[in-house]
Every structure is written in C-alpha cells, then in structure tokens.
Amino acid sequence: MATSSFMEKLKSLPAKLYILLVVCTLGGSVVGIDTALVSGAQLFFITRFHLDTSLQGLTIAATLLGALVGAILSMVLNKYVGRKGAMFFGGIDALAAGLIEAFSNIWGILLLGRLILGICFGIMTSTIPMYLAECAPTDVRGIFTTVYQLAYAFGYFIGLIVDVIFVHVEHGWRFMLGSVIVPASLVTCGLFFAEESPRWLLAKGRENAAWNALTKLRSSEELATQDFDVMRQFLEKERQTMKEQPGLFRTLYEKPSVRRPVMLGIALQIAQQFCGVNAVMFYFDYVLQLAGMTASRSIDVSVALGFATVLFTFPTFCLIDRFGRRILLLSTMPFLSVMLWVCGFSFFGGTKIREALNIAGTLLFRFFYGPGLGPVPWVIVAEIYPWYVRSQCLTLNSFISYMLNFVVSFSWPTMLKSMHAQGAFSFFAGFTLLSTCFIYLFVPETKGVEMEAIQELFQYPLYTIAKKNLRETKAYLSKFSLFRRCFGGNDGEHEKEEDSKKPVQDDHKENVGIDEQEREATCEASSSKF
C-alpha cells in the first residue's frame, strides 16, 4: 500500500519536476562520484607522488577544505543569482577541477585541483536540498529532499565502475579523477531546461516569473494558486520582519526560535559525520588492502558496495513521508554502531575473517545508513529554518558538515595507524550511540508540517521537546502490561494527564508568563496542531 501510494505520487508529478529531479541528481552525483574515484585512484597516486599517511589524508580530504569556501560562496550566489545560477557556477568549477586533476604531474597541482573541486561540493550541498525543498509540493517534500542522498549514492556507484574500467590501464588514476567532468557537463546543460525556485523569485519581487515557474511545477493550476498565495502571504509577513532584521549571528543571539533549529541542525551534522561514514567510503579500498586484499581485487569488491549504496537508498522514498524523519533515525542508528564494531573487531582474526567481516559489516552499515542518517539530516535542515535565514543557515550547516568531514577524512589513516582498526572503528561506534540519545530527546517530527509553520515548533525551549518525546514513549510503552507495571501507572492516570492538556490548546498563543507546567502543555498542543 505504501509503495502504491508512492508510485501514484510520482506519476502525478509534472514534467518540469522530473527535469528538476534529474538535474539535482546529477549535481549531487558529482560529490559521490569523486568519493569513489579518489578511493580507487589513491591506491596508485600515493606511490606515484611518494605520499606518507599525512599527505595521503590531506590529498583525499582537500576537497573538503575547498567545500568550506564553496559553502560560504554559495550564500552569495544563492542570494544574487538564484539556485540555478549557483548550481551552474558549481558545474563549471567541477569541469575545470577535473581537467586539472587529470593532467597534474606534480603533487601540488593535484592538490590544487582537489581544492578547486571542493568548491563545487560546497555549492551543491548548500543549494540542492534548499532548491528541492522550495520547489516540491508539501506531500512529497521529504521524497524530494532525499534525492540528494540518492544522487550521492548513484554517483558513488558510477565512480566505482569507472575505477574498475581503468584499474588496469596505464596512468588509469588520471582517467579516474578526470571522469568527474561528465556529470558536471550534464548538470550545466540540464539547468537550461529547469525552472528557478518560485520562492526565490518571489523574494526578488518577480511575481510573474514566480507564478509561471510554479504553474510548471504543480500538477494543476488550483494547486499552484494555493501554494502561490501561501508563499506570497508568508513572504509579505517576512518582509515586514526583515525591515528591522539584524544579521545572522545577531539573530541567533536575540531569537531563541532561530537559535534552537540551528543548534539541532549542527547536532545532526555532527551525528552524520562522526558515525564515520566518510572514513568508510573514502578508504574502503585502503582498509581492504590492510585486511590483505590486492589493489585490483579491492576495487572489484567495492563495486558491490557501490551497488548496495544505491539500492539501500531507495527505501527512503517510500518511508520518509510515511513514517517520518525521527523514527527512521532512531530505528537505524544503533545498528550503525554494531556494524562499525564488526568491522573493527574483525582485525582480531586472520586474513579471511578480516576480509569477510569488513565486506559484510560495510554493506550492512550502508544498509542502515541509506534510509536513516544519510538522507534524513539533510531533509530536516532543509525544513526547519525560517525563510529569512534559510540560505545562511544551510550554508552554515554545509560549512560545519564539510569541516567535520575534513577532520574525519584527514585523520582516518593516522587513526588506523595509531589506534589500530579496533580502536578507530570503536570511536565512531560509541559516538553514534551518544548521537542516538541526543536525537531521541531533542529532535521533533517535521513530517507533514508546512515549511512556513515548522518554525512554530521551536517557539519553546528544547527541553520541552525532550519532555514531550519522553512522555510519548512512556504512553506508548504503557500499552504493554510489562512496562505498565515498571512505570507504576495505570490507564486512568494516563487519561487524566491527557485531559489536563486540552484546555491549554485554545489560549496557548496568548500565554507569555505561564509557569513551567503550562508552557510544557502549550508546546505539546502547538505540536499536535501541526
């Protein structure tokens, strides 16, 4: 039934939305394809340029340093040239970087090419989730913003196939790194056929252009009219607010309702990076070599990981708008920890055990990462920020994501050498468990909530969200007799607690000086409304 509903939603989409999906998929695939290409190419260029573990880590992670620049640059590009203009600039940047990498004869030129390529990464990561979220209808917004993760997985798989093709070719690593120009060329051409974000056009005062774009991105004129009116009314309200609106950092200091989602967004990026996914993906071939495989065989095996990466991303499309963002995170993250321990502890065994458990553990890691910690943080951060700081906040998220990604990717070879595989994998496994606890307490559900209304969820302190999440868990577990005895409660007390919340729903917006208990009930009533 869920699959049928999902397919019906896809069939009802207009052609321009499909074009947008394809273009954004190509844009996101640039990041994924390079991850695979450099994973295979490093097996050859580290000997070509005589790199030690520190320089190896720097070369691999150089794109992440460039992405920090790209994330900041995207804020300017998204403001003045729009979402399409920002992606076009990123595509041209990737074309130039791919050529520099392919023709580099000294390590410094290779490093420069990777730094330039990273600028594209920062632009694409900051722009694509926002672009998709602003163009998508509400009922499929989660599906659309998940496309970025599918794009990464698709690019990763294609990159691994390219690695296999050129692994036995002389100077094949040049062809590997230069192959990034193919998706970059396609995305720059495809943008000429895509529509600009109607929200961005409205923000620039181009109402006719926004209306024309929206009619092409909706299945009927009635839906376009409804969404256009909502966007216009909300933007008018925000313009009045922005007349006295300070800069981002002052806004964060003065407005807790903005500061709270930013804190959650940063926490989600920390959780995503410190599960060790980029260490696993960038260095999969390298780890397999440490386990005893040859270079060519490790690249062949990695194709299975690439295929699994794509395959395991598809369930997210059916699940994210059905079960919600929060439940996908909480139901998958503990398994990520287990798989990391499997990979790490496999090094206590012999060569065959290390190879088998590393392959199995990494495949299962991708299985649980695909519908959970991979796409969901980007879906959430594309939804939770107020319009007037959305671009800046997503840029901040991308900056922090790439900064942490650089730390992980740069330090991973050294961690493997100094902490051994057992300690290095265990570090990320333990951190993932801590992140699971944080998400359980402080992340609210945003499924089915209008983007213009989501900010209402953050009008109250985060600890009220934690109390609400704990209360809902207790209420759910109390349905079972075993847990009911542990909680020492009964159904009558539960009903009484629910009844006590009802009177607060009507007047919660007018209550400012309420005490702690009433504020908590107010937040819950507001959340249930949406």
Side-chain angles (χ1 to χ4, degrees):
M1 183 174 180
T3 304
S4 175
S5 176
F6 169 69
M7 295 305 299
E8 289 175 4
K9 289 179 180 180
L10 288 184
K11 290 178 181 178
S12 65
L13 298 179
K16 282 292 185 178
L17 274 177
Y18 282 112
I19 293 174
L20 178 66
L21 284 172
V22 171
V23 170
C24 289
T25 299
L26 290 170
S29 70
V30 174
V31 184
I33 196 171
D34 180 74
T35 303
L37 294 174
V38 76
S39 178
Q42 69 174 314
L43 302 180
F44 304 97
F45 68 65
I46 57 176
T47 56
R48 167 67 176 79
F49 297 114
H50 308 289
L51 305 180
D52 58 21
T53 55
S54 295
L55 293 181
Q56 176 192 1
L58 180 60
T59 308
I60 301 299
T63 51
L64 308 175
L65 286 178
L68 300 180
V69 178
I72 297 173
L73 181 60
S74 71
M75 187 163 52
V76 178
L77 293 173
N78 276 289
K79 181 177 181 180
Y80 292 106
V81 299
R83 317 312 184 211
K84 285 177 61 177
M87 288 186 65
F88 185 83
F89 184 91
I92 296 298
D93 175 87
L95 278 170
L99 293 173
I100 291 173
E101 287 185 288
F103 291 101
S104 58
N105 284 319
I106 60 175
W107 175 73
I109 298 299
L110 175 62
L111 184 66
L112 175 63
R114 294 199 56 73
L115 287 168
I116 294 174
L117 180 61
I119 295 175
C120 168
F121 292 3
I123 293 172
M124 295 297 186
T125 304
S126 301
T127 303
I128 291 175
M130 177 170 53
Y131 189 13
L132 290 169
E134 290 180 345
C135 292
T138 301
D139 60 337
V140 293
R141 191 178 64 236
I143 295 173
F144 266 60
T145 45
T146 305
V147 164
Y148 180 79
Q149 184 63 27
L150 175 63
Y152 176 91
F154 175 76
Y156 186 77
F157 178 54
I158 297 301
L160 291 173
I161 293 177
V162 173
D163 286 346
V164 172
I165 293 172
F166 293 111
V167 67
H168 296 296
V169 176
E170 187 178 4
H171 303 297
W173 65 270
R174 297 183 183 278
F175 294 98
M176 293 178 187
L177 296 179
S179 298
V180 75
I181 67 175
V182 176
S185 301
L186 293 174
V187 74
T188 51
C189 295
L191 283 167
F192 289 102
F193 304 96
E195 295 297 322
E196 181 57 90
S197 164
R199 293 175 189 266
W200 182 83
L201 292 170
L202 268 178
K204 291 298 179 181
R206 299 164 58 182
E207 291 197 3
N208 289 336
W211 167 252
N212 291 333
L214 196 59
T215 54
K216 296 174 183 177
L217 294 171
R218 295 295 181 267
S219 56
S220 68
E221 188 171 330
E222 180 182 357
L223 288 175
T225 302
Q226 179 181 340
D227 287 352
F228 186 77
D229 289 340
V230 171
M231 290 180 195
R232 185 167 54 183
Q233 291 172 11
F234 187 79
L235 288 174
E236 284 297 325
K237 178 182 176 182
E238 289 300 336
R239 285 194 184 101
Q240 296 299 320
T241 303
M242 289 181 66
K243 289 179 179 179
E244 301 178 357
Q245 187 66 37
L248 174 62
F249 291 103
R250 187 175 173 185
T251 301
L252 294 176
Y253 177 76
E254 294 179 349
K255 289 193 172 184
S257 60
V258 177
R259 187 167 63 247
R260 290 166 191 142
V262 169
M263 290 169 57
L264 286 183
I266 292 173
L268 287 170
Q269 297 304 324
I270 294 173
Q272 187 183 62
Q273 296 306 319
F274 278 87
C275 76
V277 61
N278 287 294
V280 172
M281 304 306 287
F282 274 123
Y283 295 98
F284 182 59
D285 298 332
Y286 180 69
V287 170
L288 288 181
Q289 273 197 311
L290 292 180
M293 280 191 183
T294 63
S296 58
R297 188 186 173 199
S298 66
I299 291 176
D300 292 338
V301 170
S302 65
V303 175
L305 174 63
F307 179 74
T309 300
V310 176
L311 187 65
F312 297 155
T313 303
F314 280 104
T316 313
F317 291 93
C318 302
L319 300 175
I320 196 162
D321 281 321
R322 178 175 175 82
F323 294 105
R325 291 63 161 141
R326 188 169 176 271
I327 190 64
L328 287 180
L329 289 174
L330 296 178
S331 59
T332 56
M333 287 177 65
F335 294 100
L336 295 181
S337 296
V338 175
M339 293 307 109
L340 287 168
W341 273 312
V342 168
C343 291
F345 292 154
S346 69
F347 281 82
F348 283 120
T351 301
K352 296 296 183 181
I353 292 177
R354 289 199 300 268
E355 291 181 4
L357 290 183
N358 263 284
I359 294 171
T362 305
L363 287 174
L364 289 173
F365 179 92
R366 286 302 315 187
F367 175 78
F368 292 109
Y369 184 84
L373 202 53
V376 175
W378 289 109
V379 174
I380 294 175
V381 299
E383 297 174 330
I384 60 177
Y385 299 129
W387 173 85
Y388 53 90
V389 290
R390 183 174 299 144
S391 178
Q392 299 97 310
C393 289
L394 282 173
T395 298
L396 179 63
N397 269 264
S398 296
F399 184 89
I400 291 173
S401 174
Y402 278 115
M403 180 179 67
L404 296 172
N405 193 340
F406 172 78
V407 171
V408 171
S409 301
F410 173 72
S411 61
W412 184 240
T414 305
M415 288 177 67
L416 287 172
K417 184 177 180 180
S418 60
M419 300 172 63
H420 304 293
Q422 298 90 329
F425 279 105
S426 295
F427 171 81
F428 291 123
F431 200 96
T432 301
L433 287 181
L434 293 176
S435 300
T436 306
C437 296
F438 179 90
I439 289 171
Y440 167 71
L441 290 172
F442 298 111
V443 174
E445 182 57 70
T446 58
K447 182 194 74 170
V449 184
E450 291 285 349
M451 288 185 69
E452 285 74 16
I454 287 176
Q455 60 188 289
E456 297 291 334
L457 298 173
F458 297 99
Q459 293 296 321
Y460 305 95
L462 291 178
Y463 67 79
T464 60
I465 296 176
K467 287 185 177 181
K468 181 176 181 294
N469 289 335
L470 288 170
R471 186 186 301 111
E472 288 180 347
T473 302
K474 180 179 178 181
Y476 176 77
L477 293 178
S478 294
K479 297 177 182 178
F480 305 96
S481 58
L482 175 63
F483 291 101
R484 190 184 301 124
R485 287 195 297 269
C486 293
F487 290 138
N490 55 53
D491 294 338
E493 289 177 349
H494 179 65
E495 292 173 1
K496 183 178 179 181
E497 180 184 5
E498 293 297 319
D499 291 337
S500 66
K501 301 169 191 171
K502 294 179 181 178
V504 185
Q505 187 170 1
D506 295 328
D507 59 354
H508 73 278
K509 291 183 179 180
E510 301 176 2
N511 255 329
V512 178
I514 56 178
D515 61 22
E516 194 59 40
Q517 183 178 358
E518 290 172 335
R519 171 175 286 192
E520 178 184 331
T522 301
C523 181
E524 181 170 344
S526 178
S527 299
S528 63
K529 179 180 178 181
F530 296 114

